[in-house]
Amino acid sequence: MLMKDGMNSRLLLDCAKSCILASSPVFRRQQFLIRCVGGSIDHQPHSRNMQALRSIEVDSESLIRAITPALDPTRHKGQAGNIAVIGGCREYTGAPYFAAISALKIGADLSHVFCTKDAAPVIKSYSPELIVHPILEESYSVGDENKRSVSSKVLAEVDKWMERFDCLVIGPGLGRDPFLLDCVSEIMRHARQSNIPIVIDGDGLFLVTNNLDLVSGYPLAVLTPNVNEYKRLVQKVLSSEVDNVDAPQELLSLAKQIGGVTILRKGNSDLISDGDTVKSVSIYGSPRRCGGQGDILSGSVAVFLSWARQHILTADSNSNLSCKNPTVLGCIAGSAILRKAASLAFLNKNRSTVTGDIIECLGKSLEGISPAS
Amino acid sequence: MLMKDGMNSRLLLDCAKSCILASSPVFRRQQFLIRCVGGSIDHQPHSRNMQALRSIEVDSESLIRAITPALDPTRHKGQAGNIAVIGGCREYTGAPYFAAISALKIGADLSHVFCTKDAAPVIKSYSPELIVHPILEESYSVGDENKRSVSSKVLAEVDKWMERFDCLVIGPGLGRDPFLLDCVSEIMRHARQSNIPIVIDGDGLFLVTNNLDLVSGYPLAVLTPNVNEYKRLVQKVLSSEVDNVDAPQELLSLAKQIGGVTILRKGNSDLISDGDTVKSVSIYGSPRRCGGQGDILSGSVAVFLSWARQHILTADSNSNLSCKNPTVLGCIAGSAILRKAASLAFLNKNRSTVTGDIIECLGKSLEGISPAS
């Protein structure tokens, strides 16, 4: 009897503990971790999926060799690429730097950042190699009565440069300030009018997922979602949950549904589709998941996309590329180069690898695939 | 008949398409890309031109050895060169840093930067080696009623230092603010009165092209235009388009027309003229066209020009230099050292070479040509 009472007491105690735990941060954290693991398990490729992936795996090294321009001494500054990153606010400064410096290390000639006034001195101080324009504004620094004039000024500043850019990267460290995002929406519309490719990542994907008309039907738009960003995109566009059994087919439908934009779904294998074709990149890679690798990817895709476009536009281009869409080619090349650089950095730095270490391996990675001379 | 009609219809359709395209941003963008590619083709040297270039190619290594001063332990701080860069504004901070740090890496003792208040902390953060003066002002920070007093204050600040400088570099990252450019015009007039050499690049060339009297007839002025800056200069001074068939003769005429200033026309081969002689530097080099190399050149020319001037002024100078104009000598040496450093950096970093990598090779390049001991 005593024993029974003792058991009852323990049950009551456990129950009470659970009740306390349910509302505690520890419990919420555990639940978050379980959800994350669940997400990860969802992404373990099924054997059918594995087979499908193998069939769409692309020879990314040959592709990189085909689109990387020869280094010709008669060319002048800007011809190997002039990239602009729209991002960087009071809160985030690392992400736009990673994207912009990666573009230079891949081989672009010029790399700009358009960010808020607070972010500019910090991003400038990371590297004198970047051209940093302190022109964006967040709500806290603009009264309602000035919003229209400030917005016009921001647009005019970006427009001065627009025609010179080969590609915009929109989103790294952009933040979610409503006024700033409104300005960036206008920048995207102007870029689209000028037929300038745009690579959208991070907070840019938040903006686009809630305003699909910004990119819908624009074949020069690239979205580079990670697991969570992809989930939100699928929910919004396909009104369903992510289907990991037939991931390539789902990505194809998603890209088609947004009018033929190109989507690079980041994952254990990177999947790329423009609604017409699906490709996979699974080579190399690193188990290290330090923040910032997505920014390297967006900057790299921007450069390769520009090169692929130039390659395709060139009259004497007689390459045997199976795909002629420069956005898809840019994604494949960007994905492969990041994976190779990450694997090289990991060989050297192991668990302590950070994003800067990977950026330092971009040059060597490209050189290994497509020697400059 | 049907076929003919079909052809006519197609012609009409093509014509209509062209009309639509002509006014579209897509078309403008394509035209921009074509201009870029066209610009490159324009600069392919003709065979006659090649022959002319060979005949004026100078032995730049011997020249560097002749003008580089011996490192004598009895000399004191400043005697190997005290350079000032006038540039750096809210938008640009990398360019003045590159110019000023290059001067130190070539071997100057002291290197100053005079920039705006916004730019100063950032430029200071790039390197503790530089002396950075936050004294320039842009229109947005000065009311109309204060412009005269602010301008006087800026001039007084620069004048305090003026006599100590061996050379000014005017333009890297200067921007195009009208009030700031007015102040810089005054600084140039004061430098000229004090007989201090001035190397003009970047936005300084924009200023000078629109105000030729600032340099006209001043033998200690050096202009270092790139492709586009040279084009504007030719249009303004010679009222013609650039002639690539007889480039040396055109440069000679241009320099003579501006009263014997020295012009370093940057290109696949660098051409240098003071209106009296034309020289060419074609050795070494790198196919990488990352932004910022022009800034290295301006800082390097400033140091070599100072050394050449010192060399020529020295009573016991008995060198067999074929040219005795220190500005021409400075340009030849600056051009050669940048080309050598760029080629060394490229050997190591290939396509991922950035301007900072080239600066790191300046010392080794000079040491290879003119060993310090």
Side-chain angles (χ1 to χ4, degrees), chain B residues 316-343:
Chain B
D316 63 351
S317 161
N318 55 1
S319 66
N320 294 320
L321 289 170
S322 61
C323 167
K324 301 283 184 194
N325 185 347
T327 54
V328 172
L329 298 173
C331 285
I332 295 166
S335 165
I337 212 73
L338 167 61
R339 284 166 171 267
K340 186 162 192 192
S343 70

Side-chain angles (χ1 to χ4, degrees), chain A residues 73 79 124 129 133 163 193, chain B residues 25 29 36 91 126 289 352 356:
Chain A
Q79 287 188 299
K124 283 168 185 283
E129 310 285 349
H133 306 263
E163 296 287 332
Q193 278 163 19
Chain B
R29 173 76 190 152
C36 289
E91 205 159 11
Y126 292 145
R289 294 286 174 268
S352 75

Side-chain angles (χ1 to χ4, degrees), chain B residues 29-42:
Chain B
R29 173 76 190 152
Q30 279 175 349
Q31 288 299 303
F32 177 75
L33 289 171
I34 290 163
R35 281 199 305 279
C36 289
V37 177
S40 165
I41 290 166
D42 277 354

